[in-house]
Amino acid sequence: MELNRRNFVKMLIGGAAGLQFTPLPWKLTDDIAIWTQNWSWLPVPQAGEFTLEKSVCTLCPGGCGIEVRKVDGRAVKIEGRTDYPVNPGGICPIGMGGLQLLYNKSIRFTGPMKRVGPRGSGIFKDISWEEASRMLTARISDLRKNGKPESVAAIDGNPGRSTMAMMVERFIKAIGSPNYIRIPSIEDTYRMSNIIMQGTEGPMAYDLENSDYVLSFGCGLLEGWGAPGRVFNAWGNWHEKSQKKNIRIVQVESRASNTASKADRWVAPRPGTEAALALGLAGVIIEKRLYDDEFINYNTFGFHDWKTADGTNHTGFKTMVLKNYSPAQTAEITGITPDRIISLAMDFIKAGAPIAIYGKGKGTLNGSLYECMAVQTLNALAGNINMPGGVIIHDPLPLNPLPAIKADAVTRRGLNRPRIDQAGSKRYPFSNSLVNNLTEAILKDSESPVDTLLVFSSNPAFTLPDHGRFEKALKKVPFIVSFSPFRDETANMADLILPDHTCLEKTNDIVWPTGLQYPMYGLARPVVEPVYDTRNMGDVIIGLAKRIGETTGASFPWESFEEVVKTRVMGLYNSGGGIVDYDGSAPAWKQQKQRGIIDQGYASFNDMWKKIKSGGMWYRPVHTYKNREGLFKTPTGKFEFFSTQVETAVYEYSKQVSRNKALKAFGIKEKGDMAFMPHYNPESAGKKETAYPLLMVPYEIINLCSNWIPGPPFLNKTLFDNELRGNDSFAEINPATASEYGLKENDRVIIKSQVGEIKVRISLFDGAMPGIVYVPSGFGHTAYDEFLKGKGVNPNDIIQAGKDPLSGQPVWWNTQVQLIKV
Amino acid sequence: MEEEHGHGNKYGMVIDLDKCTGCGTCMVACAAENNLSVRPDESDKQHSITWMSLYKISNGKKFPDTEYSYFPRPCMHCNHHTPCVSVCPATATKIDFNTGIVSQIYARCIGCRYCMAACPYHARSFNWWDGYFPKGKGLERYLSPEVSPRMRGVVEKCSFCHHRLMRAKTKAYTENRRELEENEYITACAEACPVQAITFGDLNNPEHKVSKLAKSPYAFRLLERLGTEPKVYYLSTKDWVRKFADNYLPGEFKPVTSPKG
């Protein structure tokens, strides 16, 4: 056929028509879609058998029940457990994103390592567990041989009463060092407040769910305080529209946090004046004689004025409060109008079951001791101590104590040395750890008193206020060992890494979730095989002790950490009356109030142990309310408005110096009887400095990790673009304050304190108190990977931490700053 | 094709904004459940991907009367003239009249983003890049096989956790049932919400809690007057919160007075 124009066109048309009858174009279009969408680098998740594993989240001391969905052994999703009494169904966003912490190789240590780069560079070399253990134990044995076991110190961030914390403490003591130092948390403030006012060792137990008026002083109920799953669940129930409940939540806080915004009432005193507000409310209640007469007269000490045997007149709480904290005086201090103070006090005391609770944000760091005590006086005035819906007094969980450690001469001598941080000494009689003092002690001398520092479950180089000083101290410590599973800031300073498992890989316990109103023991179990070459810190400690041998080894007769846990849990069995399962039909807080008889549901210890291991819980919702006989274990046997223990402590210390000097050493400004009662210390509201006219207050939010855990990257999706944009984080200031400084939204500023400076952007926030700069905690990591490193700034960089009176713990909630526009 | 559905299921959601605390657990649960990739910079909201988003609103008052609230926003699964479905040239997004779920079929999507322009709720996101799962980091190890990871050039959005419906149905069929119980199928966000602010169920079933809540005098939907019939309802007793649901002319907004419920 001749190829001319006509034929060519014919062929084209014929071909085009013919194509319509072949599947080729359709097949090709389909294939193109498939080819362009299936790249070898796109992951294809493998299918497999679906299984569910129940456990407990140990990312924070809340200990919520979790269920992990697995596919062919791989964990693919974490969900809340509905069959767990603490958090029926819900968990917080951090727990929800926990799998990213499990698998993300670039933020974890994949095995034991030793440092090869300069300190802080994060350059390590893989070594074997054998070599790592040998390195550490050889060093400790040498120190013991040279008679200096006390130069080993530990910094521990495991929750206070947990078995893991007990193991760390035991290990340090068995070596012969008294220097077991804990990271400060709100639990310390609760513990000291309970000891001073009530003489009780049990945890703070707030019966929120049975209360009908919750007056929260700074407690970040919706920011992640306590067991977030529990508080959130209660919040949902309080706001259930179908049930006609009249429950009111009042938040006392200077910034419109989520809790303050969502509460029924928001009261915004100047930060640091919360104690004055609490006492002002107490004053109104006392003046109007609305307090619980019976409780005050029979169960308290120091309320009325009294005369001691030697004829000295003492001022009671009543006189002190009426004299110093009238509505007008309180208004002057706090900035809340007298009318509001009176109406708030009346609402509180007239409620059926009011409760005043204390906290600072999530409770990651400590609070102010006198402030906590001032809040507790409101509960005493309302007579709601050990009452449903009030503050419940429990004994500590009946776990078996571990046998006393074996001590040879070296150990005994070491243990007799004074603690480096002076906690528990005559100067700090109520504190059990003061990490800020440790920092100062290391910095003070030319040679660090600590030779070997062991760091467990904590990241003080990031979380401590004024961590710059702490890092400086770290540089002076000759040998640092980190047990962290994560490549955090502190671990990057370490010489040796013995990485722990992450939360989903290990056995670990939660001894009484923070703030819970009934005794509760949670047991987390490994839900996945260890992903990397890490080991349970508890097992590693046992191994190290055995390797050191002598009495140190003899103090650890167990084969595994689980065996230790089992030994302790035996105490729960012996105490009787606990439950090891939860079906959701009656919440534990309801059971406790209804005082039903409980069926413990296990036959023998082995049966119970098996059930605790699989179910992860033991709890006992039975309690004797009202009974106040022998409840308070203070020297007077009563709830003490006037603390005889503080008085004695000051007296004891004044044997060395004068009384005034003793008070000054304790950080107490008041001279008279007021010093021994909860009172407001003007310094806690910040000193006036003309060069630094503004106050910086750090704040926590639920979807940002401000503790030692790295934030799961999923959380980055939840941050607003006026919280983080690119690598800039924001400071919130009131539009009025901003206009004073000529600042607009998004402007870049330097926040400068006497310690240092940080660069942020400005977010205009109506919920910010004028004159205050609010900076979120949790940004500004210098460690980890692209999801966290270099994002935003850490307010801890520039916090000038003062000392809280009496407790000696850091005051981190106010720093005088100035703003410089960039 | 059936134009409207009367029978069958009509899955929907009611979100109680008085309960919602803005914690973001729904967003994280959604991202974890649906294999959302997290990029190093998630603060670039024009390029980041979320199926469930959170909006923060303020009553606009000055300190100390300021109050904040939040709007969690999944796909509304519009029931009427579904804007994205009506514009998609590739039939990559469809509404299933048996479930009411608006689907997104990645393999069909040609990436024209017409649906994104059409969606009044900004519920859709475009994959400017392939999912971020760098080699050797281990991030791909937690991916769920129930949802396929997306590739660059396609649009994605909330599916009401459609795979959970499949899972629940499969289970029901093996037990010889044809109907699902009320809470057998719920979305990951509804399950995760720690304050139980999100209720999920069948709006066609008068027994389901959602259909009761949706009739509350406090119930409303976003941009209701567009007539797209979203299947996500919100509840709030606060007028200032409800006012955010639409663009009202002065005097146009009707506060809820003496509600019966």
Side-chain angles (χ1 to χ4, degrees), chain B residues 73-213:
Chain B
R73 194 242 47 224
C75 169
M76 298 288 139
H77 294 269
C78 303
N79 216 39
H80 184 66
H81 289 177
T82 316
C84 52
V85 172
S86 56
V87 301
C88 181
T91 337
T93 181
K94 283 186 69 185
I95 179 160
D96 180 343
F97 288 114
N98 291 317
T99 59
I101 295 174
V102 177
S103 61
Q104 177 73 22
I105 303 148
Y106 313 122
R108 284 188 193 167
C109 178
I110 57 170
C112 71
R113 288 169 280 149
Y114 198 171
C115 55
M116 289 175 69
C119 176
Y121 303 102
H122 288 259
R124 297 174 154 266
S125 317
F126 182 65
N127 283 279
W128 291 93
W129 304 275
D130 289 319
Y132 184 78
F133 300 100
K135 280 256 175 308
K137 215 170 154 70
L139 290 178
E140 72 291 343
R141 293 177 76 173
Y142 58 74
L143 290 179
S144 155
E146 289 179 293
V147 183
S148 56
R150 277 73 65 188
M151 58 300 282
R152 83 180 86 143
V154 301
V155 170
E156 61 180 80
K157 70 159 193 80
C158 155
S159 64
F160 266 177
C161 289
H162 188 262
H163 60 281
R164 287 183 165 229
L165 173 63
M166 296 292 108
R167 202 199 290 163
K169 271 189 170 169
T170 312
K171 184 165 176 280
Y173 288 172
T174 55
E175 289 162 9
N176 234 342
R177 285 183 290 133
R178 284 293 170 270
E179 292 296 318
L180 297 179
E181 296 293 318
E182 178 164 3
N183 285 320
E184 245 184 311
Y185 159 48
I186 59 167
T187 57
C189 54
E191 179 189 78
C193 179
V195 289
Q196 312 97 40
I198 307 179
T199 314
F200 188 82
D202 183 3
L203 290 163
N204 270 357
N205 188 334
E207 296 303 309
H208 279 202
K209 203 177 159 197
V210 267
S211 45
K212 288 176 192 158
L213 288 175

Side-chain angles (χ1 to χ4, degrees), chain B residues 71 220-224 241-248:
Chain B
F71 268 99
F220 63 96
R221 292 176 285 182
L222 294 180
L223 301 174
E224 215 159 341
V241 173
R242 281 202 306 274
K243 225 171 165 173
F244 270 90
D246 212 331
N247 302 301
Y248 293 102

Side-chain angles (χ1 to χ4, degrees), chain A residues 370 427 646-647 649-651 653-654 657-676 679 805-806:
Chain A
Y370 274 125
R427 185 160 169 196
V646 177
E647 191 189 27
V650 170
Y651 173 73
Y653 193 65
S654 64
V657 293
S658 72
R659 181 186 146 100
N660 279 352
K661 275 197 179 145
L663 284 170
K664 204 174 158 206
F666 278 47
I668 302 173
K669 293 282 164 314
E670 299 300 330
K671 298 277 183 286
D673 286 337
M674 200 172 170
F676 312 117
H679 62 270
L806 202 55

Side-chain angles (χ1 to χ4, degrees), chain A residues 105-106 258 717 726 786, chain B residues 19 43 49 70 130 132 137:
Chain A
K105 201 172 175 177
S106 46
N258 283 353
K717 283 192 187 289
E786 66 272 32
Chain B
K19 282 185 180 178
S43 71
I49 295 175
Y70 294 89
D130 289 319
Y132 184 78
K137 215 170 154 70

Side-chain angles (χ1 to χ4, degrees), chain A residues 36-83:
Chain A
T36 55
Q37 291 175 349
N38 282 291
W39 306 108
S40 58
W41 56 84
L42 271 180
V44 180
Q46 292 303 304
E49 191 199 354
F50 277 56
T51 48
L52 291 170
E53 302 259 7
K54 287 171 180 180
S55 185
V56 176
C57 177
T58 54
L59 290 176
C60 87
C64 294
I66 52 169
E67 188 168 59
V68 179
R69 187 160 78 233
K70 288 172 38 178
V71 176
D72 204 16
R74 265 186 323 123
V76 300
K77 177 87 191 290
I78 299 179
E79 278 154 9
R81 260 173 85 175
T82 48
D83 59 348

Side-chain angles (χ1 to χ4, degrees), chain A residues 33-34 36-48 50 69 71 74-77 79-80 88-94 96-97 99-100 103-107 222 228-229 231-237 239-241 244 254-258 260-263 266 268 340 531-532 702-703 713-721 723-727 732 734 764-770 774 785-787 791, chain B residues 16-33 35-45 48-50 52 54-56 58 60-70 106-110 130-154 163-164 167 188-189 191-196 209 213 216 218 235-238 261:
Chain A
I34 293 168
T36 55
Q37 291 175 349
N38 282 291
W39 306 108
S40 58
W41 56 84
L42 271 180
V44 180
Q46 292 303 304
F50 277 56
R69 187 160 78 233
V71 176
R74 265 186 323 123
V76 300
K77 177 87 191 290
E79 278 154 9
I91 53 172
C92 76
I94 297 168
M96 187 60 86
L99 290 181
Q100 292 185 316
Y103 288 117
N104 189 350
K105 201 172 175 177
S106 46
I107 60 165
L222 300 182
V231 182
F232 276 80
N233 183 261
W235 195 275
N237 289 337
H239 293 85
E240 185 57 59
K241 287 189 175 61
K244 292 256 183 290
S254 72
R255 174 184 169 271
S257 64
N258 283 353
S261 266
K262 288 285 175 175
W266 170 37
R340 287 198 65 161
V531 178
Y532 301 112
I702 178 85
N703 45 344
F714 280 140
L715 293 186
N716 291 0
K717 283 192 187 289
T718 69
L719 296 167
F720 294 110
D721 63 358
E723 288 172 332
L724 184 73
R725 196 177 303 168
N727 284 339
E732 292 176 346
N734 191 286
L764 300 182
F765 188 69
D766 278 311
M769 179 177 272
Y774 294 92
D785 61 354
E786 66 272 32
F787 296 117
K791 288 204 189 292
Chain B
D16 188 336
L17 301 180
D18 296 339
K19 282 185 180 178
C20 172
T21 68
C23 69
T25 310
C26 53
M27 294 178 74
V28 177
C30 170
E33 177 82 21
N35 293 343
L36 261 72
S37 116
V38 186
R39 300 199 64 80
D41 184 12
E42 282 289 332
S43 71
D44 180 358
K45 301 295 177 197
S48 71
I49 295 175
T50 47
M52 173 65 114
L54 204 56
Y55 293 93
K56 188 173 186 175
S58 152
K61 290 189 181 164
K62 285 198 162 51
F63 182 90
D65 299 312
T66 329
E67 207 176 300
Y68 294 90
S69 197
Y70 294 89
Y106 313 122
R108 284 188 193 167
C109 178
I110 57 170
D130 289 319
Y132 184 78
F133 300 100
K135 280 256 175 308
K137 215 170 154 70
L139 290 178
E140 72 291 343
R141 293 177 76 173
Y142 58 74
L143 290 179
S144 155
E146 289 179 293
V147 183
S148 56
R150 277 73 65 188
M151 58 300 282
R152 83 180 86 143
V154 301
H163 60 281
R164 287 183 165 229
R167 202 199 290 163
C189 54
E191 179 189 78
C193 179
V195 289
Q196 312 97 40
K209 203 177 159 197
L213 288 175
S216 154
Y218 297 119
L235 291 178
S236 179
T237 54
K238 292 178 175 157

Side-chain angles (χ1 to χ4, degrees), chain A residues 113 152 195 214 270 344 356 400 428 559 645 719 724 742 753 808 816:
Chain A
M113 292 182 143
V152 179
I195 287 175
V214 179
R270 293 187 188 105
L344 189 58
N400 266 352
Y428 303 101
E559 286 304 313
Q645 291 175 90
L719 296 167
L724 184 73
S753 78
Q816 294 296 138

